[in-house]
Amino acid sequence: MPAPLRVAFAGTPEFAACALEAILDAGYDVPLVLTQPDRPAGRGMKLTASPVKQVALARGIEVDQPEKLRTEDQRRRLAACAPDVLVVAAYGLILPQAVLTLPRLGCINIHASLLPRWRGAAPIHRAIEAGDSETGITIMQMDEGLDTGAMLLRRAIPIAAADTTASLHDKLATLGAACVVEALAQLPAGALQPVAQPAEGVTYASKISRGEAAIAWSRPARQIECAIRAFNPFPVATGTLRDTVIKVWSAEVVARSGEPGTVLAVDDTSVIVACGDQALRLVELQRPGSRRMAVGEFLRGFPVCAGERFATGGLQAD
């Protein structure tokens, strides 16, 4: 019987923690976990361990948190554990060639899109923002490019009409965990055939910035609704009314029309705002210093009248 696969793991957020737990539950020997250094978080800005580090410590796994992996000293603990393969999931560091070739079976990545679509930092956000009907997980053999390596395994799932980045993240984290366990089972025997990514269909999922949050009401309602779902829970889409920045957590497209940004109708359960094409019924809102709430409750503390107009600027304008 061959020796059990030694699987080093590199990852940082909850998406990666889900995969690490699945690998451990499947019985793989994980001699070392790499994750980002502890960062300030919460209202007190206390140094906080990443979700991956928390899982590793709870399961008694050795943790290393190098700032980079450029020098031999920074790679020393990884080299010393002699992994057969390094699994990478949302780690946050670029791996140099010295790391890519260190494990006997190389490094494999869990990427939250159907490559080559949405290479890069924010594939879940960008898939929803673009109105894609499906996405998925690609298990990829890593090379020095940005998500350009050969594909080992792909699994697709539909993007539901109500999916936000938060809900789709959780679906893909579960799928990614299952996919990497499936891939690891086949890797030693060479049962996974690497398939080069096609040159056609390449798109890049640039990192999400807070500056993208401002809604450009001149855009079609469907595009804005997709952006609202994509930016939930971060950075959260915003509209400005009476010099107050209001977070828009959810909205629905309705068949109304008017000057973009104009409030067309208000009642106890809805605020309807005209867009470049059709309109949006705002469903969940949040004003500064308050919590997110249904429109009816929001209106009791911040009345809105038909005929008022949201500022029409916004960095999402074409």
Side-chain angles (χ1 to χ4, degrees):
M1 178 179 292
L5 204 61
R6 288 173 61 79
V7 181
F9 187 88
T12 299
E14 194 63 43
F15 180 89
C18 186
L20 175 58
E21 289 203 279
I23 291 167
L24 292 168
D25 289 345
Y28 286 100
D29 176 20
V30 179
L32 181 69
V33 164
L34 302 175
T35 192
Q36 288 280 296
D38 295 359
R39 307 291 189 200
R43 290 187 177 180
M45 296 300 287
K46 295 181 179 179
L47 284 179
T48 302
S50 72
V52 163
K53 180 178 179 179
Q54 293 176 42
V55 169
L57 294 179
R59 304 289 285 264
I61 308 298
E62 182 181 351
V63 175
D64 191 16
Q65 298 176 270
E67 289 282 354
K68 302 288 183 181
L69 287 167
R70 294 173 180 167
T71 68
E72 285 191 18
D73 186 60
Q74 289 169 332
R75 301 189 295 267
R76 177 179 51 80
R77 292 172 70 181
L78 179 62
C81 79
D84 295 307
V85 62
L86 174 64
V87 172
V88 182
Y91 179 29
L93 288 183
I94 295 174
L95 302 187
Q97 185 64 24
V99 171
L100 296 175
T101 57
L102 190 156
R104 177 174 63 87
L105 298 172
C107 302
I108 64 173
N109 177 251
I110 310 168
H111 188 75
S113 81
L114 298 174
L115 292 172
R117 187 163 177 77
W118 302 127
R119 294 174 179 171
I124 302 175
H125 298 78
R126 298 306 181 190
I128 294 176
E129 184 186 19
D132 290 1
S133 61
E134 68 172 7
T135 186
I137 291 291
T138 304
I139 304 297
M140 173 188 64
Q141 189 81 52
M142 296 181 71
D143 61 17
E144 287 190 283
L146 176 63
D147 299 326
T148 56
M151 301 178 293
L152 301 174
L153 186 152
R154 288 169 97 237
R155 296 286 183 270
I157 60 170
I159 298 177
D163 265 330
T164 63
T165 288
S167 65
L168 189 56
H169 167 279
D170 292 350
K171 294 176 185 178
L172 288 171
T174 299
L175 180 62
C179 285
V180 76
V181 170
E182 180 182 346
L184 289 173
Q186 301 178 65
L187 197 62
L192 294 174
Q193 294 299 315
V195 176
Q197 294 186 35
E200 301 78 25
V202 175
T203 59
Y204 290 92
S206 57
K207 186 177 179 180
I208 301 296
S209 70
R210 291 185 184 275
E212 297 180 69
I215 294 171
W217 297 98
S218 59
R219 298 190 77 182
R222 170 62 178 160
Q223 290 184 14
I224 298 173
E225 188 269 342
C226 286
I228 290 168
R229 291 188 292 113
F231 298 160
N232 178 351
F234 176 87
V236 188
T238 62
T240 301
L241 184 65
R242 303 198 300 269
D243 295 323
T244 300
V245 177
I246 297 170
K247 291 183 178 181
V248 182
W249 285 92
S250 62
E252 301 169 349
V253 178
V254 294
R256 297 284 297 270
S257 63
E259 190 68 22
T262 302
V263 178
L264 301 177
V266 180
D267 60 32
D268 290 342
T269 61
S270 66
V271 172
I272 297 175
V273 183
C275 303
D277 174 30
Q278 299 188 293
L280 283 178
R281 175 181 176 268
L282 308 186
V283 175
E284 271 191 298
L285 301 173
Q286 181 179 2
R287 66 182 187 275
S290 185
R291 56 180 174 82
R292 62 190 284 189
M293 58 188 71
V295 163
E297 185 179 2
F298 175 88
L299 291 172
R300 288 195 286 273
F302 191 95
V304 176
C305 299
E308 291 191 274
R309 190 173 180 186
F310 281 84
T312 54
L315 299 183
Q316 294 177 46
D318 293 327

